[in-house]
Amino acid sequence: DHMLDFTAQNVYKGLAGMYLLFNEHDTGDETTGFRLPSFGDGASDNSNFDVPMLFSDHIYDSESGIVAFDTFNFDGVLGDRFLVNGKVQPVMHVHPRRYRFRWLDAGPSRFYELFFTDLNNRGGKIQFHQISTDGNLLTRPVEVESIRLGVAERADLIIDFSQYAGKTL
């Protein structure tokens, strides 16, 4: 629902999701088109290499634990907990291979600067390839060390974890 002044609270309450589109170049199959990482069998996390991720932050009522949202605040809300796909501070274990991440800043107010860090070298950022922005696929992949997202902005990226086998990122 994109009714004026209601989108933010609906997304904040979890009424948001990713809608993935494919074509002859971005096929969802690693053996065709641009050969981007795909869903595998789609039945288990062990085969999902195309990972949609919605980033958001929420305020939780300290007594009830229920998500709090001030519907009369039109200046923006900054939460005290960060969520990915509705989970507070999730952990994802990866295989030593290429992954595609589809990142979306689901708001409601915060901007994110997202990057990967090797925990054995906290000062260094790990390079990866950005392949899309809000305007769909880029002309060619661009090597970057971070991606900045504003509210409702998205980006797709490819990172090859095979060179980081056995490390914690």
Side-chain angles (χ1 to χ4, degrees):
D1 181 2
H2 285 286
M3 189 170 88
L4 181 63
D5 295 330
F6 281 86
T7 302
Q9 66 179 294
N10 286 339
V11 171
Y12 195 83
K13 293 172 185 175
L15 300 174
M18 301 286 266
Y19 186 77
L20 308 181
L21 299 173
F22 299 96
N23 63 23
E24 68 276 6
H25 303 294
D26 183 3
T27 63
D29 180 348
E30 288 187 47
T31 64
T32 62
F34 291 144
R35 302 182 187 279
L36 298 171
S38 67
F39 298 106
D41 66 12
S44 68
D45 287 339
N46 288 331
S47 71
N48 186 10
F49 309 115
D50 184 343
V51 184
M53 301 175 83
L54 279 79
F55 297 93
S56 61
D57 57 290
H58 289 78
I59 298 171
Y60 290 89
D61 181 271
S62 59
E63 293 181 20
S64 68
I66 295 174
V67 172
F69 185 82
D70 181 358
T71 57
F72 298 103
N73 180 356
F74 298 110
D75 294 328
V77 176
L78 295 178
D80 57 3
R81 298 286 185 271
F82 294 100
L83 293 85
V84 179
N85 295 344
K87 294 183 181 178
V88 176
Q89 298 178 314
V91 173
M92 179 181 177
H93 299 281
V94 297
H95 296 281
R97 68 172 324 276
R98 290 182 331 135
Y99 278 74
R100 177 182 187 170
F101 292 104
R102 299 173 189 252
W103 288 350
L104 170 65
D105 180 349
S109 305
R110 193 176 299 275
F111 282 62
Y112 294 97
E113 181 85 24
L114 301 166
F115 56 90
F116 294 93
T117 302
D118 180 343
L119 292 180
N120 297 318
N121 177 17
R122 292 182 187 243
K125 293 179 184 172
I126 295 171
Q127 301 284 316
F128 55 92
H129 289 91
Q130 183 173 0
I131 63 169
S132 84
T133 63
D134 282 328
N136 298 310
L137 291 175
L138 299 172
T139 310
R140 61 178 181 73
V142 177
E143 189 171 40
V144 297
E145 66 177 25
S146 69
I147 293 177
R148 181 174 296 156
L149 295 176
V151 176
E153 287 185 326
R154 67 177 184 88
D156 290 22
L157 62 115
I158 304 286
I159 184 166
D160 187 351
F161 291 106
S162 63
Q163 58 192 326
Y164 304 104
K167 292 185 176 185
T168 304
L169 301 179

